[in-house]
Amino acid sequence: MFKNLYVLLLLALLLGCGAAKLPSPGAIMPIKAQIDLVEVLDDKVMVVVDPGQIGKDEILFLIPRIIPGTYSEDNFGAYVQDFVALDYDAEPMNISRKDVNSWLISDAKKLDKVTYYVNDTFDTELEVEEAVFSPAGTNIAAGENFLLNLHGFVGYFEGLKEVPYELNIVSPSELKPATSLHEISAEITDKGQYNFSAKRYFELVDNPILFARANTETFKISDISVTLSVYSPTGRYSAKDFRPQMEAMIKAQKAFLGGVSGTKTYTILLYLAQISDSDATGYGALEHHTSTVVVLPEALPKQVLDESMVDIVSHEFFHTLTPLSVHSREIQFFNFNEPDMSMHLWMYEGTTEYFANFFQVQEGLIEIEEFYDRMAKKISNSRVYDDSMSFTTMSERILESPFKENYLNVYEKGALINMCLDILLREQSNGEKGVLWLMKELSAIYNEDTPFDDPELIGEIVAMTYPEIGSFFEKHVQGKEPIPYPIYLEKVGLKLEMDQKPASYFFLGQIPYIDADPGDLDTIFVQKGMELNSFFQDLGAKGGDIIIKINDTTITLDSMRTIVGESFGWDAEKDIRMTVMRDGELIDLQGKAGTPIYTERKIVEMDSVSEKVISLRRAWLGQ
């Protein structure tokens, strides 16, 4: 394919207007991109992209609208300003902006390069419909730190995504890069000059870079070299603080996966944010083939950060198995602006989330009861979403309503699909095979360079397993039939117990039913992805509702604190009026305060089960 592409490009160049920038015989000239982190102008940095010789009359330059792993429209072109195309005489060329993410360049045979400024997403002054999920976002803090998710900086020319890239970054000398991107060379004088290479555009944007003052730890686990880089704005935390937990976790993951993970390097970029309007909002992580970006609040206590890092990074590391290794053509040849979405989120996110919890009990990091509690909580949380929605249909159409509103269920029901599939595989194979076995089998067929055909995968899984697996997929993954969890739990001697328990109005234990928007602490909303207590349910509140008023009190952070305090003395007959904003519409809710209760679900072991069932449970849990 590359040879054919080269021949066509070379022919176009020879017939074009001049010999400037002709590639040498047998070579494909890389696209060259430059980012200047020294001359920061109004919180923006300049980017230059030189495509080499273009052999056609017009060409489209694009910045991604959607990136892999986020399943949302982020429109990174909205953060690009002052876009200019220059010819070989450094004169501006005719361009037209086709939409927020693309520019059409006329008379493209004369194109030398494009230049533009990029604003960051963390504290953008621009008006955008929805903030970018921070781990997928960008930060420009002159002389302090630069979080370069490169899809937010470097664009691509239509038809040239498979061409190699060279990236040159000029940075303040005191800031050092942490990344898994292949570094060609580095030169440090009064400023840093770093040169990187990528085989294609996808590889370039699949390797984020964090520029900050050196705060890294590198350690080796088996055949994998892991680098942990931490940005802590106040200097409260160092990479050494998190190394023991990350080292133990990845060691356990490698033991769990065996030889199925072929990753030789892995970079963890931890950005600790201050809680302010000018820093990251939306915490979590985004996976890449050989790295992950994690964004968490610096203000969290160390113990909470440790627990969060283990849960979050273990999930992201398991993505090296799927979709980063086992994946469909839709992901292999991802269209950043008009993507076809794969139908297999049950695997990409569901298997990954299941493994992130399951490996911890298998490797002795948590007790069995903790694993049971986590799965029971996922059953409760999954009830917030449409349980009759086909998971494969939701996955294919995840960018549109009503499917995108159910996306977070991939971490709840998606994990439960895999738990039930794991139990069913164990039952059918007399304990010998499970989901990990299945993923190892698939990874022997498919890998980073060999994708599967999206419609064929489930059929292939059934062919290598049992007819009962086909029935499970047909009913509960492709179909709309809710999973009868008690039936699957009973196969391994477990049962699901439900109990109505008292709750406070606004808290479940120490977990609040409400939260504040990190970007605007006076915006208080009802938590998404959490089964609400009877108080909110009886009022008709839903996850995501922004609370505008309670009775006659306008809600701010301070007034909400006052109401929460007063609620401990509310009478059950107290009248409650709550005004919420839902999907841009004001809605008035009313009812009695009542006596709030919640449904607690517990997975517990059954009494008097057969030795065969106990043996199956032990084979499943590795205990």
Side-chain angles (χ1 to χ4, degrees):
M1 178 179 178
F2 284 133
K3 288 183 179 179
N4 291 339
L5 176 62
Y6 167 68
V7 170
L8 292 174
L9 286 174
L10 184 57
L11 181 61
L13 292 172
L14 292 173
L15 296 175
C17 55
K21 294 190 176 182
L22 283 177
S24 60
I28 297 177
M29 295 297 287
I31 291 174
K32 297 182 178 181
Q34 297 176 326
I35 303 176
D36 188 342
L37 305 181
V38 175
E39 300 297 329
V40 178
L41 177 65
D42 296 331
D43 204 29
K44 295 175 290 194
V45 299
M46 175 175 273
V47 178
V48 179
V49 183
D50 176 355
Q53 187 90 20
I54 299 297
K56 54 183 181 179
D57 292 330
E58 60 180 25
I59 195 164
L60 201 62
F61 182 82
L62 304 101
I63 297 284
R65 165 179 160 243
I66 297 168
I67 59 168
T70 58
Y71 311 102
S72 63
E73 297 185 44
D74 289 321
N75 292 310
F76 288 97
Y79 302 90
V80 170
Q81 296 176 311
D82 302 327
F83 183 91
V84 177
L86 297 172
D87 65 18
Y88 293 123
D89 295 321
E91 294 295 326
M93 300 175 62
N94 289 329
I95 59 171
S96 60
R97 193 163 189 171
K98 305 302 291 183
D99 55 42
V100 69
N101 300 300
S102 64
W103 295 259
L104 183 66
I105 303 168
S106 302
D107 205 7
K109 292 177 182 178
K110 297 180 180 179
L111 176 65
D112 181 25
K113 58 190 175 184
V114 298
T115 71
Y116 50 89
Y117 283 91
V118 173
N119 209 324
D120 61 352
T121 69
F122 278 15
D123 64 340
T124 182
E125 298 81 14
L126 305 175
E127 291 187 10
V128 292
E129 288 187 10
E130 191 170 343
V132 173
F133 177 50
S134 292
T138 59
N139 194 48
I140 298 170
E144 179 65 22
N145 77 79
F146 298 88
L147 179 59
L148 307 183
N149 270 303
L150 292 168
H151 50 252
F153 290 89
V154 182
Y156 63 95
F157 291 90
E158 187 176 41
L160 298 178
K161 290 206 306 291
E162 302 303 310
V163 173
Y165 268 72
E166 288 184 3
L167 174 63
N168 170 263
I169 298 178
V170 180
S171 76
S173 59
E174 66 273 15
L175 304 185
K176 309 301 179 184
T179 183
S180 289
L181 191 61
H182 176 62
E183 186 175 313
I184 303 172
S185 63
E187 180 182 347
I188 311 299
T189 54
D190 58 331
K191 56 187 176 182
Q193 289 263 6
Y194 298 92
N195 295 290
F196 303 92
S197 67
K199 295 176 183 176
R200 60 188 185 122
Y201 182 73
F202 184 94
E203 182 180 321
L204 180 78
V205 299
D206 188 46
N207 286 279
I209 308 174
L210 174 62
F211 273 88
R213 287 170 179 81
N215 185 2
T216 63
E217 286 284 308
T218 298
F219 52 90
K220 191 116 176 172
I221 301 291
S222 183
D223 59 346
I224 179 174
S225 177
V226 180
T227 297
L228 169 64
S229 180
V230 176
Y231 171 70
S232 179
T234 68
R236 179 178 178 181
Y237 294 110
S238 72
K240 289 182 179 179
D241 295 326
F242 300 102
R243 173 173 173 166
Q245 292 77 17
M246 293 296 95
E247 200 164 359
M249 180 200 74
I250 294 179
K251 183 178 180 180
Q253 287 184 283
K254 288 289 289 182
F256 174 78
L257 289 172
V260 73
S261 176
T263 301
K264 301 302 180 187
T265 60
Y266 198 76
T267 305
I268 302 166
L269 304 178
L270 174 58
Y271 183 100
L272 295 173
Q274 294 180 307
I275 299 177
S276 72
D277 293 342
S278 61
D279 212 337
T281 59
Y283 306 116
L286 181 65
E287 78 275 4
H288 301 274
H289 276 77
T290 56
S291 61
T292 185
V293 175
V294 187
V295 179
L296 292 170
E298 188 188 44
L300 289 178
K302 178 63 164 50
Q303 181 180 351
V304 177
L305 278 174
D306 284 340
E307 292 171 357
S308 298
M309 285 289 286
V310 169
D311 288 341
I312 290 172
V313 179
S314 64
H315 176 100
E316 305 307 330
F317 185 82
F318 277 125
H319 271 306
T320 61
L321 182 56
T322 184
L324 302 177
S325 179
V326 179
H327 59 256
S328 70
R329 293 181 182 277
E330 286 78 2
I331 292 176
Q332 176 77 12
F333 305 106
F334 190 81
N335 186 322
F336 293 88
N337 289 74
E338 296 295 335
D340 293 318
M341 307 304 286
S342 171
M343 67 174 67
H344 298 296
L345 276 172
W346 69 268
M347 181 175 69
Y348 302 145
E349 295 296 345
T351 302
T352 300
E353 177 65 10
Y354 174 63
F355 280 173
N357 290 276
F358 186 60
F359 98 98
Q360 294 190 53
V361 69
Q362 281 247 332
E363 299 301 321
L365 299 183
I366 61 173
E367 298 296 327
I368 291 177
E369 290 73 21
E370 170 67 15
F371 175 70
Y372 292 162
D373 288 346
R374 292 185 182 194
M375 293 300 105
K377 185 177 180 181
K378 287 186 179 299
I379 293 174
S380 293
N381 291 346
S382 71
R383 288 174 55 84
V384 175
Y385 305 99
D386 185 348
D387 200 27
S388 64
M389 182 176 283
S390 162
F391 232 72
T392 49
T393 300
M394 178 186 78
S395 184
E396 279 188 302
R397 301 173 64 183
I398 199 65
L399 299 177
E400 60 187 84
S401 293
F403 305 102
K404 65 181 180 181
E405 288 80 12
N406 284 266
Y407 168 69
L408 290 177
N409 205 17
V410 300
Y411 302 105
E412 312 296 349
K413 188 175 180 179
L416 296 168
I417 287 171
N418 281 269
M419 179 187 75
C420 295
L421 183 61
D422 206 4
I423 291 171
L424 188 56
L425 280 167
R426 292 287 180 183
E427 179 192 48
Q428 295 300 312
S429 65
N430 293 319
E432 293 182 4
K433 299 175 181 178
V435 172
L436 180 57
W437 167 86
L438 175 63
M439 294 308 300
K440 287 180 178 179
E441 292 295 303
L442 290 173
S443 67
I445 305 170
Y446 304 109
N447 54 49
E448 182 179 346
D449 300 314
T450 308
F452 58 77
D453 290 323
D454 217 55
E456 308 299 325
L457 179 67
I458 290 176
E460 291 182 35
I461 290 173
V462 175
M464 66 175 64
T465 57
Y466 310 96
E468 290 79 3
I469 300 300
S471 298
F472 177 83
F473 274 107
E474 184 179 349
K475 290 179 181 178
H476 307 305
V477 183
Q478 297 163 296
K480 298 182 177 182
E481 188 175 323
I483 299 174
Y485 298 111
I487 290 177
Y488 288 91
L489 292 171
E490 187 177 355
K491 294 177 185 295
V492 287
L494 302 175
K495 61 181 178 179
L496 187 64
E497 290 185 345
M498 289 181 281
D499 195 10
Q500 301 291 313
K501 297 210 168 180
S504 65
Y505 290 97
F506 296 99
F507 282 83
L508 173 59
Q510 295 184 340
I511 303 173
Y513 288 107
I514 56 175
D515 202 355
D517 183 343
D520 179 6
L521 295 178
D522 286 329
T523 298
I524 310 297
F525 60 90
V526 182
Q527 291 270 33
K528 284 185 176 181
M530 183 178 182
E531 189 173 20
L532 301 175
N533 62 12
S534 60
F535 169 67
F536 283 104
Q537 289 186 23
D538 292 346
L539 282 175
K542 294 184 178 181
D545 285 351
I546 298 172
I547 304 175
I548 306 300
K549 278 189 177 184
I550 294 180
N551 290 344
D552 296 322
T553 302
T554 299
I555 296 302
T556 63
L557 181 61
D558 287 338
S559 65
M560 192 72 242
R561 284 172 175 158
T562 301
I563 289 174
V564 169
E566 292 173 349
S567 71
F568 290 101
W570 283 357
D571 183 88
E573 293 301 312
K574 179 178 177 65
D575 291 318
I576 300 294
R577 302 183 311 279
M578 184 182 294
T579 301
V580 301
M581 178 76 73
R582 183 184 302 162
D583 298 327
E585 179 183 355
L586 286 174
I587 300 174
D588 292 320
L589 310 173
Q590 57 185 350
K592 299 292 185 181
T595 302
I597 59 174
Y598 74 98
T599 301
E600 181 183 64
R601 290 174 176 81
K602 298 283 287 183
I603 294 175
V604 298
E605 295 180 358
M606 301 169 66
D607 296 326
S608 304
V609 295
S610 69
E611 185 58 38
K612 181 179 180 180
V613 169
I614 293 175
S615 177
L616 188 63
R617 183 169 70 217
R618 287 173 178 165
W620 171 45
L621 296 175
Q623 301 289 324

